[in-house]
Amino acid sequence: MPTLLSAVAGGVAGAYYEEACATASTFDTTNFSEDTKRQLSYLDSVSLEAAESEELYNILSDMANIYGTYQACRSNPMTRVNECMYLEPELTELMAQVGNYEDHLWAWQAWHNGVGRQLRPLYLRYVELKNKEAQLNGYADYGDQWRQKYETTEMETIVQDLYVQVEPLYKQLHAYIRRKLYDTYGPDKIDLRGPLPAHLLGDMWGRFWVNLNSIAIPFPEKPSTDPSPEMIRQNYTVERMFQTGNQFYTSMGLLPVPDTFWNLSMLEKPTDGREVACHATAWDFYDGKDFRIRMCTKVVFEDFQTVHHELGHIQYYMQYAFQPLNFRDGANDGFHEAVGELMAMSFSTTKHLNAIGLLNVPDDPDVDMNFLLFQALNTISTLPFHLTQDTWRWSMFRGDIPLEELNDNYWAEKARVVGVAPPVGRDPALDLDITAIYHVCNDFDMIRYFMRTFYQYQFNEVLCQAAGHTGPLYKCDFYNSTAAGDALAEMLKLGASKPWQDAMEALTGQRDILATPLLNYFEPLRAWLEAENIKNGDYIGWDIPPKQLVNKEFAPHLKEKMQQKLGLSPARESPSPRLRKNRMSSDIRPALHNVRL
């Protein structure tokens, strides 16, 4: 249950928001400017009745509490001592290790059974309430509301068209990683023509594959591009990591974080026994001066990258802080995520790490390939994951999946698109495994991460040109380039005051989202992977077991029954595109932009 303080604060903010919406609805906007109309559109929102609003608030709080406090317990197989592990840091560290199949299996099953099964009934009620609220606001369902934040009715077509272009690269990476897992775990655990086991991909969800780099690195005899040991040798602290990240931004002429950032942020996990949410998040408190990060930072390179990512959110907040309140947001959620990931990528180049004394590696094409593979494990591997997390939820919100088939259908879609399968059998009556990740049980879409990857490489290409970079894009570092900083700041200052296409045009000179910059960046890796897979005789793609095939159609009476359960009107049509409404409705909260976990 929510704390009394947060419940009271949420109630006050919710009441104020409802009053503001009611006031805004009384205006005749016929002669208002487009800017004023856009501001008022963020207040064109209808909330659930008070009892259901409170129920939804409590459900979200309960789901977050289950996720944040669950411990997986066992008798340690080596010491026989009973041990309990939180997700952070113990289970996360366990899943990041490579080689112990049974440990990974235990952790994966304990987490998904322990968290997902508790969340399932809460999540199903959450879906009903969110669908009802979305329909009160003129949307077909909650998925429709999410998609229309991108101010288009073609969102489903756009994401599929983008993925079709990058899917061949993903399948080459998938085949290469499958071979490396086969070499590590053996033929009794890995099928060279099958999907990948979800528990062996380096984290609890198979989202980021970076922790497989130790077995996947193309040229392991070459100097490492991981500066973690050098960070330890140079006595880096968490504070120094954030100071270094802040200096990266200011070197480009961008804004420094305010002094209050250092006093009010939680940059390390408290040591006083408090239970805290460790998922790295950046916060805007909407007073134009209070910006914070909450993160249980460790002195490792992966967290150093996340520091730069989170500071990207803070930079965005600070750049648009002068805008009216309703415009203090990214052009869309994907833009917000792209900025941080873009800066983390530039920071991670061997050129930059050499420049700040954390690496000393020569200019070597083999080292470049190691770097590109690492980047792919951090980006290309995520594309089908993020895509299916939301395309499946869009189908669920529409009522397209029978209740008794939800979890089976989820894993069937994962097998079809991602080429990943659960390591153990799942119970369709108890399990709803999609809920066991932070974003799903905390009411965040994940298509933002899919979109951000394409935006990231588009932005990178333009900023590299502004910085005067010549040569391969993966060698570009815009550290110390005020020209690149000026170009980026002009876009960031727009906030949500213009459609995202306008913001895209302000930075790149064109209005479309493109896959070609990403493909150009990774072209050397694609060619190398293709040659390597041919050399090894590896199968590109995967065979799907019959029980994991997706049944796209089912009996009309079942579909109607499911839609009724979710509070939907089966014949309802999606409305025409409309301006993005305020990101907050019945669940009032500070704006936070969630990143990697």
Side-chain angles (χ1 to χ4, degrees):
M1 294 293 291
T3 65
L4 178 61
L5 181 61
S6 65
V8 171
V12 171
Y16 175 78
Y17 178 68
E18 289 183 13
E19 181 182 352
C21 289
T23 301
S25 68
T26 65
F27 293 116
D28 178 359
T29 63
T30 304
N31 296 317
F32 286 8
S33 69
E34 291 304 312
D35 182 84
T36 302
K37 289 178 182 178
R38 186 174 180 84
Q39 288 191 59
L40 289 174
S41 75
Y42 284 80
L43 294 172
D44 178 18
S45 182
V46 180
S47 297
L48 296 166
E49 294 293 333
E52 288 185 328
S53 288
E54 182 178 3
E55 181 186 5
L56 178 59
Y57 180 85
N58 288 337
I59 286 172
L60 287 166
S61 181
D62 288 346
M63 289 197 297
N65 184 61
I66 290 167
Y67 184 92
T69 62
Y70 179 77
Q71 295 183 76
C73 300
R74 67 171 179 176
S75 173
N76 186 290
M78 299 295 291
T79 66
R80 301 301 176 188
V81 174
N82 288 336
E83 60 184 7
C84 292
M85 302 184 191
Y86 287 106
L87 179 64
E88 286 285 352
E90 298 92 351
L91 289 173
T92 297
E93 291 175 355
L94 185 154
M95 295 299 283
Q97 299 166 5
V98 177
N100 193 325
Y101 185 95
E102 296 302 327
D103 262 9
H104 288 180
L105 181 61
W106 167 78
W108 191 95
Q109 191 168 6
W111 178 259
H112 286 82
N113 289 1
V115 174
R117 291 179 179 180
Q118 288 188 74
L119 292 177
R120 179 186 169 106
L122 294 169
Y123 191 77
L124 293 178
R125 178 58 177 158
Y126 149 89
V127 171
E128 293 177 18
L129 292 171
K130 279 295 188 178
N131 270 344
K132 182 174 182 180
E133 187 174 55
Q135 288 196 329
L136 287 173
N137 285 283
Y139 299 102
D141 55 63
Y142 192 40
D144 179 41
Q145 181 175 339
W146 273 354
R147 292 189 300 277
Q148 289 197 40
K149 288 192 295 183
Y150 290 83
E151 303 184 67
T152 175
T153 58
E154 304 299 320
M155 190 64 179
E156 291 183 273
T157 300
I158 289 169
V159 297
Q160 294 297 342
D161 287 349
L162 287 168
Y163 187 65
V164 164
Q165 296 177 67
V166 299
E167 186 178 31
L169 173 58
Y170 173 76
K171 286 187 172 181
Q172 293 290 337
L173 180 65
H174 181 283
Y176 177 77
I177 291 298
R178 184 173 54 199
R179 168 63 65 177
K180 296 301 181 181
L181 292 173
Y182 178 90
D183 293 343
T184 303
Y185 295 101
D188 60 326
K189 298 291 193 293
I190 305 297
D191 178 0
L192 283 175
R193 292 182 62 93
L196 306 175
H199 67 308
L200 298 180
L201 298 176
D203 66 26
M204 189 61 77
W205 311 276
R207 183 184 178 199
F208 294 100
W209 297 359
V210 288
N211 289 316
L212 300 182
N213 191 57
S214 62
I215 63 170
I217 185 170
F219 300 100
E221 73 283 359
K222 294 291 183 175
S224 172
T225 57
D226 180 359
S228 295
E230 186 63 18
M231 291 167 62
I232 300 299
R233 195 191 72 79
Q234 294 187 24
N235 296 316
Y236 263 75
T237 62
V238 167
E239 184 175 357
R240 184 178 174 187
M241 290 164 67
F242 277 91
Q243 288 172 339
T244 302
N246 187 47
Q247 199 274 329
F248 186 98
Y249 286 85
T250 59
S251 81
M252 299 173 63
L254 297 169
L255 300 173
V257 298
D259 291 342
T260 53
F261 172 88
W262 305 104
N263 301 326
L264 300 175
S265 293
M266 187 194 87
L267 305 181
E268 299 183 70
K269 187 172 185 177
T271 57
D272 57 8
R274 281 180 290 155
E275 292 183 353
V276 298
C278 279
H279 188 100
T281 50
W283 296 70
D284 180 357
F285 285 83
Y286 293 107
D287 62 357
K289 58 185 179 182
D290 189 353
F291 312 101
R292 310 180 196 177
I293 285 174
R294 183 191 70 198
M295 181 176 172
C296 299
T297 318
K298 300 182 290 294
V299 183
V300 296
F301 182 50
E302 183 179 2
D303 280 15
F304 212 173
Q305 292 173 304
T306 302
V307 165
H308 285 73
H309 178 118
E310 292 295 341
L311 287 171
H313 291 307
I314 299 296
Q315 187 65 216
Y316 215 156
Y317 296 152
M318 293 190 296
Q319 291 287 350
Y320 59 56
F322 72 94
Q323 291 278 6
L325 182 63
N326 282 338
F327 289 163
R328 295 185 200 174
D329 201 357
N332 62 44
D333 291 333
F335 269 58
H336 232 300
E337 294 299 331
V339 171
E341 205 68 2
L342 166 73
M343 304 302 264
M345 183 170 71
S346 182
F347 158 76
S348 301
T349 60
T350 55
K351 177 182 177 181
H352 181 73
L353 295 174
N354 279 342
I356 64 172
L358 284 177
L359 284 182
N360 182 22
V361 298
D363 192 10
D364 182 334
D366 292 350
V367 173
D368 292 344
M369 200 56 62
N370 288 347
F371 173 77
L372 281 171
L373 191 281
F374 185 85
Q375 288 297 112
L377 295 177
N378 195 39
T379 54
I380 303 304
S381 68
T382 70
L383 288 170
F385 179 94
H386 292 143
L387 181 66
T388 55
Q389 288 292 106
D390 274 16
T391 55
W392 186 86
R393 281 191 287 174
W394 295 344
S395 293
M396 180 197 59
F397 287 129
R398 268 196 296 260
D400 286 348
I401 311 167
L403 186 64
E404 61 275 14
E405 296 179 16
L406 286 175
N407 205 56
D408 286 348
N409 187 280
Y410 171 66
W411 282 110
E413 190 70 355
K414 292 271 283 187
R416 184 180 71 85
V417 179
V418 191
V420 168
V424 292
R426 312 306 293 145
D427 188 327
L430 296 177
D431 294 312
L432 191 54
D433 292 318
I434 193 173
T435 62
I437 189 169
Y438 180 92
H439 312 78
V440 174
C441 65
N442 282 274
D443 189 29
F444 291 96
D445 65 80
M446 297 190 78
I447 206 68
R448 67 182 68 189
Y449 303 105
F450 177 86
M451 298 293 282
R452 70 105 184 266
T453 304
F454 295 97
Y455 294 143
Q456 168 190 343
Y457 288 94
Q458 271 187 270
F459 298 166
N460 181 68
E461 199 167 74
V462 171
L463 293 184
C464 288
Q465 293 170 1
H469 172 75
T470 58
L473 287 170
Y474 59 82
K475 289 181 175 290
C476 172
D477 171 26
F478 26 82
Y479 181 66
N480 281 332
S481 173
T482 56
D486 290 345
L488 181 62
E490 286 305 305
M491 183 195 76
L492 300 182
K493 289 174 182 176
L494 292 175
S497 65
K498 303 291 182 183
W500 71 263
Q501 294 89 342
D502 290 4
M504 173 70 79
E505 187 174 23
L507 179 61
T508 69
Q510 56 82 43
R511 300 176 64 82
D512 296 323
I513 179 171
L514 304 174
T516 47
L518 180 151
L519 294 172
N520 291 339
Y521 186 100
F522 283 108
E523 175 54 24
L525 177 67
R526 185 208 60 77
W528 185 88
L529 286 172
E530 184 174 334
E532 194 72 8
N533 289 331
I534 290 172
K535 182 178 73 175
N536 293 330
D538 281 324
Y539 178 60
I540 308 302
W542 47 88
D543 297 332
I544 303 175
K547 68 178 181 179
Q548 291 179 332
L549 293 174
V550 179
N551 179 13
K552 288 291 188 181
E553 298 294 333
F554 54 93
H557 73 282
L558 290 177
K559 180 171 182 176
E560 183 174 346
K561 181 180 178 181
M562 184 62 180
Q563 289 175 326
Q564 290 171 349
K565 181 173 285 292
L566 296 179
L568 297 172
S569 303
R572 191 182 187 108
E573 294 295 329
S574 175
S576 58
R578 49 195 293 167
L579 292 177
R580 297 161 63 245
K581 290 186 176 179
N582 195 293
R583 60 190 160 271
M584 299 183 287
S585 53
S586 60
D587 57 319
I588 305 298
R589 58 194 172 200
L592 63 157
H593 294 274
N594 301 279
V595 292
R596 300 186 299 182
L597 182 62

